[in-house]
Amino acid sequence: MTDPTLNSSRAQLAADQLTTDIALGKLLPQINARLEVTSTDDETGNGGSRSGEIILQQSLFDPVAWYDYRAAYAESAAAKTAFSDTQQQWLLTLIRTYADTLRAIAAQEAANIDTLAFTEALHHASQRHTAGLVVKTEVLEAQAALDNAYAAAHSAKAELSLQLEILSRISSQPVTAVTPFTPGLELQLPDEQQLNQWLMSDGINHPQIQQAQQEEIKMRLLNKSAAAAHFPKADFTATVQHTQGYGNKHDEGTTTMLSAKITLPLLAGGSHYGEQQKTHWQAIAAGHQQEESRRAVRFELRRLLRQIRYDVMNINGRRQAIISATSAMNATRSAHRIGTRNMVDVLNAQRTLSAAEKEFANARSDYMTHLMELKYYAGALDETDVALMNRWFSADEN
């Protein structure tokens, strides 16, 4: 995938995952080596020594480092959910833009039909004015209606071009056309049990809620880390040193030293207490933010569930409207053949049918968008939904 937003989020995830390794390093053994060469020149002559040592340091009791490590682990978990949210947001943006493109196509087709209808209406009004049947006002009104239709057609064309450009930017490849819905496709509600499961979950699988949970856990652990700064700290150190003299220094030997150190902080100018209070309030703020996220997701789940129920009814109603408009247009054409209706009436009937088809296309686009938004807030949006949409737009499926 070449989308820069996803690539940036993926790189940030890789960086955030190292936070745990960095924090863990403070709990693991530390080994250092040191080499020293000294040279002396005094009344006894020239000489010196060469020494090398290996130092092993291991923390025996360091509650600050331990809580920092656990907080880093929570931060890494939050980074994973943040990346998952970025992926789902990108997919949802792509779906919304695709739906907006379908709406723009439907609007352009309707605008083109309107232009043809108003062109014929102007021609008909001009003929009637020439014959003295109507006044000039009717011609001017027809011309104004045609001008508005031309403006609407140009606006629809520009909107479609804009949506295709946005789709190209999101998909990182040129897009000049999109596939419409499969003719005769029946869009139905998901399984009722599945809908209830999403609703009862309260969005517990939504990445933003999971991220808020991890953020609260992290702040509470950092609060414990700040409190642990008042606790003693124990360290163990083992040193092996080898020294070899030269010149007038002939001593040579190996020394092994083992030591344990306990450090107890007594006064730090109030910085430890201040840090503890700061993280305490940050943890409380994170808890409230988590509750706000839960409420927002719960609201969106309920709203979208009602919305897709309405969308299905709206699709069925719009489909019936197309059937009625088609029947009316056929009747108008039949009347035109026997001379009881003129061409303007036929084109107006065609406009009515085109408007019904536009609303039907918009209703299906609304359903697609709302269903994917519902899955997003339920934490169920993934690559399988792309395959579902491919079936919706498959040209060979009836």
Side-chain angles (χ1 to χ4, degrees), residues 133-190:
L133 300 177
V134 296
V135 296
K136 183 67 173 178
T137 302
E138 186 171 326
V139 178
L140 295 177
E141 290 175 347
Q143 181 64 57
L146 178 59
D147 291 340
N148 286 331
Y150 273 127
H154 289 313
S155 177
K157 183 179 180 180
E159 179 64 21
L160 176 58
S161 177
L162 174 62
Q163 293 301 327
L164 289 174
E165 187 66 29
I166 295 175
L167 200 58
S168 299
R169 181 183 66 83
I170 296 174
S171 61
S172 303
Q173 59 185 5
V175 178
T176 58
V178 296
T179 304
F181 281 103
T182 301
L185 175 68
E186 294 286 343
L187 295 177
Q188 298 177 347
L189 281 173

Side-chain angles (χ1 to χ4, degrees), residues 6-312:
L6 284 179
N7 289 340
S8 174
S9 182
R10 186 178 290 107
Q12 186 62 49
L13 173 63
D16 291 339
Q17 292 298 296
L18 296 175
T19 304
T20 305
D21 296 336
I22 295 172
L24 179 61
K26 297 180 181 180
L27 297 171
L28 297 179
Q30 310 289 317
I31 301 178
N32 297 292
R34 185 173 66 88
L35 179 64
E36 181 179 358
V37 177
T38 60
S39 178
T40 59
D41 187 4
D42 53 24
E43 63 276 4
T44 63
N46 297 327
S49 65
R50 292 183 290 268
S51 66
E53 64 180 12
I54 296 178
I55 305 171
L56 168 67
Q57 294 176 313
Q58 172 62 58
S59 175
L60 299 178
F61 181 75
D62 190 349
V64 173
W66 169 246
Y67 285 122
D68 285 347
Y69 166 69
R70 292 180 60 189
Y73 188 85
E75 183 177 348
S76 296
K80 290 181 181 179
T81 57
F83 177 66
S84 175
D85 185 53
T86 300
Q87 288 181 308
Q88 294 188 41
Q89 289 270 18
W90 178 86
L91 182 57
L92 192 59
T93 301
L94 180 63
I95 292 170
R96 286 169 174 166
T97 306
Y98 198 99
D100 289 340
T101 305
L102 293 177
R103 294 186 186 97
I105 292 174
Q108 184 183 42
E109 291 175 349
N112 291 338
I113 295 296
D114 287 349
T115 301
L116 292 175
F118 286 122
T119 300
E120 183 61 28
L122 176 60
H123 178 68
H124 186 70
S126 298
Q127 288 181 330
R128 287 167 60 84
H129 174 66
T130 302
L133 300 177
V134 296
V135 296
K136 183 67 173 178
T137 302
E138 186 171 326
V139 178
L140 295 177
E141 290 175 347
Q143 181 64 57
L146 178 59
D147 291 340
N148 286 331
Y150 273 127
H154 289 313
S155 177
K157 183 179 180 180
E159 179 64 21
L160 176 58
S161 177
L162 174 62
Q163 293 301 327
L164 289 174
E165 187 66 29
I166 295 175
L167 200 58
S168 299
R169 181 183 66 83
I170 296 174
S171 61
S172 303
Q173 59 185 5
V175 178
T176 58
V178 296
T179 304
F181 281 103
T182 301
L185 175 68
E186 294 286 343
L187 295 177
Q188 298 177 347
L189 281 173
D191 181 68
E192 191 68 28
Q193 183 178 359
Q194 180 67 74
L195 290 176
N196 290 333
Q197 182 178 349
W198 289 342
L199 186 62
M200 296 302 295
S201 70
D202 276 346
I204 191 65
N205 295 321
H206 190 265
Q208 290 183 5
I209 289 183
Q210 293 180 341
Q211 188 176 358
Q213 289 175 334
Q214 295 298 331
E215 183 65 23
E216 182 184 7
I217 292 173
K218 183 187 84 170
M219 296 313 304
R220 294 195 180 280
L221 288 170
L222 288 178
N223 178 247
K224 291 183 178 181
S225 174
H230 299 282
F231 298 166
K233 177 184 177 183
D235 297 296
F236 170 78
T237 303
T239 304
V240 177
Q241 183 182 54
H242 180 75
T243 304
Q244 181 181 23
Y246 63 90
N248 61 354
K249 307 289 185 179
H250 301 290
D251 52 328
E252 179 177 355
T254 301
T255 304
T256 300
M257 294 178 289
L258 302 177
S259 66
K261 180 176 67 173
I262 297 178
T263 304
L264 179 64
L266 298 178
L267 181 65
S271 61
H272 293 334
Y273 176 78
E275 183 67 23
Q276 184 179 357
Q277 289 299 305
K278 175 184 175 181
T279 53
H280 169 72
W281 290 111
Q282 285 178 331
I284 292 177
H288 290 309
Q289 183 60 46
Q290 181 186 164
E291 179 59 26
E292 173 59 26
S293 298
R294 287 183 181 277
R295 293 184 181 186
V297 170
R298 187 183 302 121
F299 168 79
E300 290 297 332
L301 282 173
R302 296 180 183 276
R303 179 186 71 84
L304 290 167
L305 182 58
R306 288 193 296 268
Q307 186 63 56
I308 64 170
R309 293 184 191 277
Y310 164 78
D311 288 339
V312 172

